[in-house]
mmCIF file of all heavy atoms in Angstrom:
data_model
loop_
_atom_site.group_PDB
_atom_site.id
_atom_site.type_symbol
_atom_site.label_atom_id
_atom_site.label_comp_id
_atom_site.label_asym_id
_atom_site.label_seq_id
_atom_site.Cartn_x
_atom_site.Cartn_y
_atom_site.Cartn_z
ATOM 1 N N LEU A 167 4.154 -17.062 2.146
ATOM 2 C CA LEU A 167 3.571 -18.185 1.408
ATOM 3 C C LEU A 167 4.642 -18.988 0.690
ATOM 4 O O LEU A 167 4.607 -20.219 0.658
ATOM 5 C CB LEU A 167 2.540 -17.668 0.401
ATOM 6 C CG LEU A 167 1.275 -17.030 0.986
ATOM 7 C CD1 LEU A 167 0.399 -16.467 -0.131
ATOM 8 C CD2 LEU A 167 0.489 -18.026 1.824
ATOM 9 N N LEU A 168 5.621 -18.303 0.111
ATOM 10 C CA LEU A 168 6.718 -19.005 -0.554
ATOM 11 C C LEU A 168 7.484 -19.890 0.423
ATOM 12 O O LEU A 168 7.894 -21.004 0.076
ATOM 13 C CB LEU A 168 7.672 -17.999 -1.192
ATOM 14 C CG LEU A 168 7.189 -17.255 -2.442
ATOM 15 C CD1 LEU A 168 8.267 -16.289 -2.917
ATOM 16 C CD2 LEU A 168 6.810 -18.218 -3.557
ATOM 17 N N SER A 169 7.679 -19.414 1.634
ATOM 18 C CA SER A 169 8.460 -20.175 2.616
ATOM 19 C C SER A 169 7.781 -21.483 2.985
ATOM 20 O O SER A 169 8.447 -22.451 3.365
ATOM 21 C CB SER A 169 8.684 -19.332 3.880
ATOM 22 O OG SER A 169 7.478 -19.188 4.626
ATOM 23 N N ALA A 170 6.444 -21.527 2.876
ATOM 24 C CA ALA A 170 5.702 -22.726 3.240
ATOM 25 C C ALA A 170 5.699 -23.768 2.129
ATOM 26 O O ALA A 170 5.353 -24.929 2.359
ATOM 27 C CB ALA A 170 4.261 -22.360 3.604
ATOM 28 N N GLY A 171 6.067 -23.372 0.914
ATOM 29 C CA GLY A 171 6.137 -24.299 -0.204
ATOM 30 C C GLY A 171 4.790 -24.559 -0.864
ATOM 31 O O GLY A 171 3.775 -23.972 -0.498
ATOM 32 N N ASP A 172 4.798 -25.456 -1.853
ATOM 33 C CA ASP A 172 3.604 -25.815 -2.627
ATOM 34 C C ASP A 172 2.967 -24.592 -3.268
ATOM 35 O O ASP A 172 1.747 -24.394 -3.205
ATOM 36 C CB ASP A 172 2.580 -26.553 -1.758
ATOM 37 C CG ASP A 172 1.461 -27.188 -2.594
ATOM 38 O OD1 ASP A 172 1.698 -27.450 -3.793
ATOM 39 O OD2 ASP A 172 0.364 -27.394 -2.056
ATOM 40 N N VAL A 173 3.806 -23.745 -3.897
ATOM 41 C CA VAL A 173 3.331 -22.567 -4.619
ATOM 42 C C VAL A 173 3.815 -22.656 -6.066
ATOM 43 O O VAL A 173 4.992 -22.921 -6.308
ATOM 44 C CB VAL A 173 3.858 -21.262 -3.977
ATOM 45 C CG1 VAL A 173 3.477 -20.056 -4.831
ATOM 46 C CG2 VAL A 173 3.327 -21.100 -2.565
ATOM 47 N N ASP A 174 2.906 -22.458 -6.995
ATOM 48 C CA ASP A 174 3.282 -22.403 -8.406
ATOM 49 C C ASP A 174 4.000 -21.083 -8.654
ATOM 50 O O ASP A 174 3.383 -20.018 -8.656
ATOM 51 C CB ASP A 174 2.033 -22.515 -9.281
ATOM 52 C CG ASP A 174 2.350 -22.511 -10.779
ATOM 53 O OD1 ASP A 174 3.535 -22.354 -11.134
ATOM 54 O OD2 ASP A 174 1.411 -22.656 -11.588
ATOM 55 N N THR A 175 5.316 -21.141 -8.846
ATOM 56 C CA THR A 175 6.118 -19.922 -8.999
ATOM 57 C C THR A 175 6.367 -19.559 -10.456
ATOM 58 O O THR A 175 7.226 -18.719 -10.747
ATOM 59 C CB THR A 175 7.457 -20.060 -8.268
ATOM 60 O OG1 THR A 175 8.161 -21.198 -8.786
ATOM 61 C CG2 THR A 175 7.255 -20.224 -6.768
ATOM 62 N N ALA A 176 5.622 -20.160 -11.367
ATOM 63 C CA ALA A 176 5.725 -19.754 -12.770
ATOM 64 C C ALA A 176 5.267 -18.309 -12.916
ATOM 65 O O ALA A 176 4.407 -17.823 -12.167
ATOM 66 C CB ALA A 176 4.876 -20.669 -13.645
ATOM 67 N N ILE A 177 5.853 -17.605 -13.882
ATOM 68 C CA ILE A 177 5.510 -16.205 -14.104
ATOM 69 C C ILE A 177 4.080 -16.097 -14.641
ATOM 70 O O ILE A 177 3.707 -16.782 -15.595
ATOM 71 C CB ILE A 177 6.493 -15.544 -15.085
ATOM 72 C CG1 ILE A 177 7.918 -15.568 -14.516
ATOM 73 C CG2 ILE A 177 6.067 -14.108 -15.386
ATOM 74 C CD1 ILE A 177 8.110 -14.764 -13.260
ATOM 75 N N ASN A 178 3.303 -15.244 -14.008
ATOM 76 C CA ASN A 178 1.938 -14.951 -14.447
ATOM 77 C C ASN A 178 2.022 -13.940 -15.597
ATOM 78 O O ASN A 178 2.466 -12.808 -15.386
ATOM 79 C CB ASN A 178 1.147 -14.375 -13.273
ATOM 80 C CG ASN A 178 -0.262 -13.940 -13.642
ATOM 81 O OD1 ASN A 178 -0.672 -14.004 -14.793
ATOM 82 N ND2 ASN A 178 -1.003 -13.479 -12.647
ATOM 83 N N PRO A 179 1.607 -14.306 -16.822
ATOM 84 C CA PRO A 179 1.754 -13.375 -17.945
ATOM 85 C C PRO A 179 0.966 -12.075 -17.771
ATOM 86 O O PRO A 179 1.393 -11.035 -18.264
ATOM 87 C CB PRO A 179 1.239 -14.185 -19.144
ATOM 88 C CG PRO A 179 0.407 -15.270 -18.560
ATOM 89 C CD PRO A 179 1.012 -15.584 -17.225
ATOM 90 N N ILE A 180 -0.147 -12.129 -17.056
ATOM 91 C CA ILE A 180 -0.920 -10.905 -16.804
ATOM 92 C C ILE A 180 -0.169 -10.016 -15.825
ATOM 93 O O ILE A 180 -0.013 -8.809 -16.036
ATOM 94 C CB ILE A 180 -2.325 -11.249 -16.283
ATOM 95 C CG1 ILE A 180 -3.080 -12.098 -17.295
ATOM 96 C CG2 ILE A 180 -3.099 -9.967 -15.968
ATOM 97 C CD1 ILE A 180 -4.446 -12.571 -16.815
ATOM 98 N N GLY A 181 0.323 -10.617 -14.734
ATOM 99 C CA GLY A 181 1.097 -9.849 -13.760
ATOM 100 C C GLY A 181 2.356 -9.264 -14.370
ATOM 101 O O GLY A 181 2.745 -8.131 -14.074
ATOM 102 N N LEU A 182 3.020 -10.026 -15.243
ATOM 103 C CA LEU A 182 4.238 -9.547 -15.894
ATOM 104 C C LEU A 182 3.938 -8.351 -16.792
ATOM 105 O O LEU A 182 4.688 -7.361 -16.793
ATOM 106 C CB LEU A 182 4.860 -10.679 -16.717
ATOM 107 C CG LEU A 182 6.111 -10.315 -17.516
ATOM 108 C CD1 LEU A 182 7.239 -9.880 -16.600
ATOM 109 C CD2 LEU A 182 6.547 -11.503 -18.389
ATOM 110 N N HIS A 183 2.848 -8.428 -17.543
ATOM 111 C CA HIS A 183 2.503 -7.312 -18.425
ATOM 112 C C HIS A 183 2.218 -6.053 -17.614
ATOM 113 O O HIS A 183 2.673 -4.953 -17.974
ATOM 114 C CB HIS A 183 1.293 -7.676 -19.288
ATOM 115 C CG HIS A 183 1.094 -6.749 -20.451
ATOM 116 N ND1 HIS A 183 0.527 -5.496 -20.318
ATOM 117 C CD2 HIS A 183 1.426 -6.876 -21.768
ATOM 118 C CE1 HIS A 183 0.499 -4.906 -21.515
ATOM 119 N NE2 HIS A 183 1.033 -5.724 -22.407
ATOM 120 N N HIS A 184 1.487 -6.197 -16.533
ATOM 121 C CA HIS A 184 1.223 -5.031 -15.686
ATOM 122 C C HIS A 184 2.518 -4.466 -15.105
ATOM 123 O O HIS A 184 2.722 -3.247 -15.074
ATOM 124 C CB HIS A 184 0.263 -5.412 -14.548
ATOM 125 C CG HIS A 184 -1.143 -5.634 -14.979
ATOM 126 N ND1 HIS A 184 -1.783 -4.832 -15.888
ATOM 127 C CD2 HIS A 184 -2.058 -6.566 -14.608
ATOM 128 C CE1 HIS A 184 -3.019 -5.260 -16.063
ATOM 129 N NE2 HIS A 184 -3.220 -6.308 -15.304
ATOM 130 N N TYR A 185 3.385 -5.353 -14.633
ATOM 131 C CA TYR A 185 4.639 -4.885 -14.038
ATOM 132 C C TYR A 185 5.452 -4.071 -15.035
ATOM 133 O O TYR A 185 5.977 -3.003 -14.709
ATOM 134 C CB TYR A 185 5.468 -6.077 -13.540
ATOM 135 C CG TYR A 185 6.828 -5.665 -13.021
ATOM 136 C CD1 TYR A 185 6.988 -5.243 -11.704
ATOM 137 C CD2 TYR A 185 7.944 -5.639 -13.856
ATOM 138 C CE1 TYR A 185 8.232 -4.822 -11.235
ATOM 139 C CE2 TYR A 185 9.179 -5.226 -13.398
ATOM 140 C CZ TYR A 185 9.319 -4.813 -12.090
ATOM 141 O OH TYR A 185 10.540 -4.390 -11.635
ATOM 142 N N MET A 186 5.551 -4.553 -16.253
ATOM 143 C CA MET A 186 6.383 -3.910 -17.264
ATOM 144 C C MET A 186 5.698 -2.718 -17.932
ATOM 145 O O MET A 186 6.360 -1.880 -18.531
ATOM 146 C CB MET A 186 6.766 -4.926 -18.338
ATOM 147 C CG MET A 186 7.686 -6.037 -17.865
ATOM 148 S SD MET A 186 9.377 -5.463 -17.578
ATOM 149 C CE MET A 186 9.902 -5.174 -19.275
#
Side-chain angles (χ1 to χ4, degrees):
L167 293 176
L168 288 179
S169 72
D172 192 24
V173 174
D174 182 357
T175 58
I177 298 296
N178 176 357
I180 300 176
L182 177 62
H183 195 282
H184 288 318
Y185 175 85
M186 293 287 289

